[in-house]
Amino acid sequence: MSEYRESYSTKVRADAERCFAVLTDFAAYPRWSSPVRECSVLSTHSDGLPHHVAFVLDTPFKTIRYTLAYTWTRPRGGEWTLVEGDVAGVEGSYAFTPTRSGCTATCTQAIELGFWVPGFLRSVFERKALKDSVEEFRAAAERDA
């Protein structure tokens, strides 16, 4: 997997259940996640939670399509790995840790693009993309909390 593993945490004024609900509502991702153009659940686990999810992302480099497989630990978060797509590898997780005023949301992610991008541009892009993604998630979770 990629040597570019990044983590980002933020305080969310919503409890872990609310954060978990936002994380698993993939149909809503295009409304709050700026790079997500399309997102669809292809299959579910026996408990009804999403298992395989297809994404279409607009990035500064190109449009990227991929499918991820998810496992869940309700309401503490979930993990994902790449099934197939335009990138060489993706793995990551979200973890929700309760606090007095809601929870801390931590996203950890590693992406192996499979196409060349200069290292300094890539690390800056990945760090900014992860931070923006988590902050957009926070705003979505707090909106209806």
Side-chain angles (χ1 to χ4, degrees), residues 62-125:
K62 66 180 191 174
T63 298
I64 297 175
R65 301 174 193 301
Y66 57 81
T67 299
L68 300 178
Y70 285 84
T71 57
W72 305 104
T73 307
R74 181 182 220 134
R76 293 187 309 268
E79 297 180 350
W80 55 88
T81 59
L82 180 71
V83 174
E84 63 182 2
D86 296 338
V87 293
V90 177
E91 59 184 38
S93 65
Y94 248 108
F96 307 124
T97 307
T99 65
R100 287 184 184 163
S101 59
C103 71
T104 298
T106 301
C107 183
T108 300
Q109 188 163 274
I111 301 171
E112 185 62 46
L113 294 175
F115 54 88
W116 187 79
V117 175
F120 70 95
L121 286 178
R122 179 183 173 151
S123 62
V124 168
F125 167 74

